[in-house]
Structures are given as C-alpha cells and as structure tokens.
Amino acid sequence: YAISLSFDAFDSRNAILASWSTDGGDTWSDPVEITANDNTVLDKESITADPSHPGVVYAAWDALVYPGGSLHASDRGRLVSSSFKSQTFFARSVDGGMTWSAPQPLFTNSSYTGSIGSIIRVLDDGTLLDALVTYGSSAWKGGPCASISVLRSADGGATWSSKPVTVAPLSCTYRGVTIPDTGDTVRTGGLPDIAVSGDSGDVVWEDAVPAGPTGARTPLSQALEGGGPRAAPLVVEQTPGGRGVV
C-alpha cells in the first residue's frame, strides 16, 4: 500500500489518496480518495496494513484547522490564534484499499491543542497503537512543549482512548538538528516512529538531552507493554559531541 498527500497547484484543494499493488510494486492501482478538503490543511499521512487480517488497512493523517476555515497563504499568520487546532484523523479499509470508512477524529480537545505525526501499529491481540505527538495546555494533553504519546483502540479503530498515554514529554529548549559546519537547522520533523512485536513495542524520536539542551539531536527508545510505558526513555544514539544523526 502507498499513501500520499496530493493537492491542486492553483487552489486550496488537498486530499489524502491511497493506492495498492498486488504484484510486488510492478504495477499500482489508480489512487483512491480517503479524504479531501478545501478549507483545512491536510498533512503527515501514514498507512498500515493489518498483519493478521488480509485486506484490512488503516490510514491516519492530520488536519490543521484555521479560524474561519481558511488556509490561504495570507491567513497563515492565524496559526498564532487561540482557535487554531491540529486534529488527527483515522480511516479504515476492509477491502484492500478500494473503499474507506468515513474519517473520524482521534485526538482533539480544545482550541490550540492537538496532535501530529500519527503512525499506527497492530499488536498480536488486534489492539491498535497510534504513536504521535500531542500538545495542549495540560500535561495529560501533552503540555505546551508537546509530548510523545500513544493512543489505543481495542476494536479495530471504531473507538479510541480518550486520553493519550504519555511516553515522554519533549524538551522545551530543543531547536532541531543542525549542520555541524554551519549551525543551520535541518527540518527533520522530530516525529515518532513505532515498532511492535507480540504485545509490546518501542517508540523512537528525536529530542535534546541536558548536556545539549538546544541543538543536540538524540533518538530515544521507550519500551511499551500493551500500549503503556514500562521503562524510562533510553538514549540510543551516542554520537560524540552531541552532534546526532538523522
């Protein structure tokens, strides 16, 4: 399966599209629309095949909601508005990507709160885990500097946990990966990835450490059991000088 963020060149319409291949990638289906919108910015799409149920596929993405529903370039300054939202959405296909369920929001709580960067994985018992970044005014929402979090679904995505499990809060001082020779920042995203095996898994992401609170880049790993943290984060990247790797 493949998923894309697609958009028109001369207007505000954008869409999340999916395609599939049944011959190892030699040929692909025409793209199928999962969702489309003229009034919100779609972003950070991911797609996951259920390893235990052939033909069952999960998609997740973000929708950035602006005041008045506008996403034109002249309105981008409204990101600082208290009514800006970033919502995570989910859809499921049970016929190999030919048709998709109606999009449903996974996490949004109030204005200027939300999530970004969802990746879904499937535990052996069928539980879905969604690793993502959440942020909000309260610690359980992710806090003002955001957190690496996990949402759970025990019914194939029909319903999801109302509160995310916080894996680790993100540093408020981290500025991102930098080029060692120039100090220029590199847009690497800082979003999580997740791998599972049996009823447990690991999440990795990038962040700063106390020895390099602004520019150091360090992937971290967090063991999970059934979707909840069971160990403190472990620094898994040990590049000398705190320069980090991408």
Side-chain angles (χ1 to χ4, degrees):
Y1 297 98
I3 193 169
S4 68
L5 169 60
S6 302
F7 49 88
D8 293 340
F10 301 108
D11 59 39
S12 60
R13 186 166 179 78
N14 57 161
I16 303 296
L17 307 178
S19 300
W20 65 90
S21 173
T22 58
D23 55 13
D26 289 338
T27 61
W28 289 83
S29 69
D30 291 335
V32 173
E33 180 183 294
I34 300 176
T35 189
N37 205 296
D38 295 334
N39 299 316
T40 60
V41 175
L42 306 176
D43 197 17
K44 303 297 186 292
E45 69 284 357
S46 69
I47 193 165
T48 303
D50 191 313
S52 300
H53 299 91
V56 177
V57 194
Y58 309 107
W61 65 93
D62 308 317
L64 309 181
V65 181
Y66 296 88
S70 176
L71 53 73
H72 296 293
S74 60
D75 295 327
R76 292 304 176 92
R78 296 185 181 183
L79 276 172
V80 299
S81 170
S82 61
S83 56
F84 163 72
K85 294 182 183 179
S86 175
Q87 299 173 279
T88 293
F89 282 83
F90 167 88
R92 182 178 69 168
S93 173
V94 296
D95 55 12
M98 291 187 289
T99 61
W100 292 83
S101 63
Q104 66 180 95
L106 296 192
F107 177 75
T108 185
N109 182 262
S110 62
S111 296
Y112 208 72
T113 187
S115 52
I116 192 168
S118 287
I119 296 181
I120 293 173
R121 296 291 183 258
V122 187
L123 299 179
D124 278 1
D125 65 0
T127 298
L128 305 185
L129 302 183
D130 179 19
L132 71 172
V133 172
T134 61
Y135 61 88
S137 56
S138 301
W140 73 264
K141 300 176 185 178
C145 300
S147 295
I148 302 297
S149 302
V150 172
L151 296 171
R152 293 169 46 90
S153 173
D155 53 15
T159 60
W160 292 80
S161 50
S162 58
K163 291 186 177 182
V165 173
T166 299
V167 177
L170 293 173
S171 167
C172 292
T173 58
Y174 181 54
R175 297 182 303 162
V177 177
T178 58
I179 300 173
D181 293 337
T182 65
D184 294 334
T185 56
V186 179
R187 187 184 180 192
T188 57
L191 301 175
D193 199 356
I194 181 172
V196 299
S197 177
D199 68 346
S200 64
D202 293 280
V203 180
V204 293
W205 66 97
E206 67 182 60
D207 199 2
V209 293
T214 58
R217 189 272 188 185
T218 305
L220 303 175
S221 175
Q222 170 68 48
L224 302 172
E225 186 167 5
R230 70 179 186 208
L234 170 69
V235 179
V236 297
E237 184 269 309
Q238 302 287 342
T239 304
R243 294 182 179 230
V245 296
V246 178

